[in-house]
Amino acid sequence: MLRKRLIQAIAIGFTLSLLSGCVYIRLLKFKGQLYSFDEFVVVELDKGLSLKFPKPVVRDEDFVFITESQPSSIAEISQEPKVENWNWRFEKQIQNEDGTPFSIIFRTRFEEGLLTRIDFDEKLLEAIPAGFIVELFRSLGEAKINKLRKSATAAMNRETMHGVPLPTLTDISDVMGQPTDKDKKDKRRLWNYVFNFYNPKNKDLSGQFAIVFQSDSENPDQEIAGFELTGKAR
């Protein structure tokens, strides 16, 4: 009996590893598409900022698997074909009582279960130019992936973003409020904004991303020097 249960446990574990492996294979394919951004991603700027994926590879179930959560809300667009908008609300993490609340909603569209579009919150575009966000997503094609921690990290600086207008710390704070925390390293000012996604059912932390804006000037009205973006699931 013990041997039979052991074999069953091994079989179940192997099956689960295959399932999770499929998820990460699709995410790696998506990362490859971002690396070849101009070939696989269409940028739309007529109504804010949207990224379209004509050859989708990521499934809605992958989002649920990674976050262990449903989105904040789901809106059905059509049944035949099946089209849904999944909305994900991220709230800025505040370290003190004087912090300014701020939230961002990302809308992901799934057609027959495949991710075909991401729409960005207009509030985010008030703080960060659309061109900057596009380059940010382009940089995710070279992101460092940590499968164990379910995280990805990408970084860019002024030298690698020729012709892309960069925001100032003043621009950012006018819309997003003060950062979660501030620091200094190698004579650079670091403003760290942390955003959390909470499971709508049990309110558990299910996802997080952090943007560290770097400035090499004491003047907050100067363009930032670069940034580092880290996203991770629960």
Side-chain angles (χ1 to χ4, degrees):
M1 180 63 71
L2 179 61
R3 182 181 179 184
K4 182 178 180 181
R5 289 181 178 177
L6 178 60
I7 293 175
Q8 289 176 336
I10 293 174
I12 292 173
F14 178 70
T15 302
L16 289 176
S17 70
L18 289 178
L19 290 175
S20 61
C22 291
V23 173
Y24 288 110
I25 287 174
R26 287 194 290 267
L27 292 178
L28 285 175
K29 287 183 179 179
F30 184 61
K31 179 175 180 287
Q33 289 187 341
L34 293 179
Y35 182 80
S36 303
F37 193 91
D38 295 330
E39 180 180 355
F40 292 101
V41 184
V42 177
V43 179
E44 290 190 348
L45 297 170
D46 54 337
K47 296 181 180 179
L49 171 62
S50 299
L51 300 181
K52 296 181 65 177
F53 308 101
K55 299 180 179 180
V57 293
V58 180
R59 300 197 62 82
D60 50 11
E61 62 198 47
D62 299 339
F63 281 72
V64 176
F65 173 82
I66 292 295
T67 63
E68 298 182 15
S69 170
Q70 292 291 321
S72 304
S73 62
I74 297 177
E76 183 180 80
I77 306 303
S78 68
Q79 293 183 344
E80 295 292 340
K82 181 181 179 182
V83 180
E84 295 178 332
N85 284 340
W86 288 23
N87 299 320
W88 308 82
R89 179 186 179 90
F90 284 81
E91 301 175 12
K92 185 179 73 173
Q93 182 174 311
I94 299 174
Q95 299 286 45
N96 56 68
E97 295 181 358
D98 296 329
T100 305
F102 184 79
S103 62
I104 298 173
I105 296 177
F106 294 94
R107 175 177 297 147
T108 52
R109 172 161 293 188
F110 295 95
E111 300 182 22
E112 297 295 348
L114 288 168
L115 176 68
T116 59
R117 183 185 184 98
I118 299 177
D119 294 323
F120 294 85
D121 196 321
E122 292 182 359
K123 291 184 295 183
L124 181 63
L125 299 178
E126 292 178 12
I128 306 175
F132 181 86
I133 296 176
V134 170
E135 292 305 312
L136 186 154
F137 262 77
R138 189 190 299 269
S139 72
L140 291 177
E142 300 180 5
K144 297 179 180 179
I145 305 295
N146 188 319
K147 182 177 177 180
L148 182 62
R149 296 186 177 181
K150 296 183 181 179
S151 68
T153 300
M156 294 194 71
N157 55 55
R158 185 186 298 125
E159 289 71 27
T160 62
M161 302 179 70
H162 301 294
V164 178
L166 300 178
T168 68
L169 294 179
T170 298
D171 293 333
I172 296 167
S173 61
D174 281 349
V175 178
M176 297 168 59
Q178 289 299 302
T180 304
D181 59 65
K182 299 179 181 180
D183 198 0
K184 280 192 175 183
K185 183 179 181 181
D186 299 329
K187 297 182 180 180
R188 277 193 168 185
R189 301 172 69 183
L190 306 177
W191 281 24
N192 184 22
Y193 285 83
V194 180
F195 290 87
N196 296 323
F197 169 71
Y198 296 98
N199 186 312
K201 288 187 176 180
N202 56 27
K203 307 305 179 183
D204 285 347
L205 178 64
S206 294
Q208 184 182 83
F209 74 89
I211 306 180
V212 181
F213 296 103
Q214 306 167 2
S215 175
D216 52 15
S217 172
E218 291 297 322
N219 183 357
D221 294 324
Q222 293 290 325
E223 285 189 347
I224 62 172
F227 70 90
E228 181 177 276
L229 170 69
T230 298
K232 62 180 181 180
R234 179 180 175 182

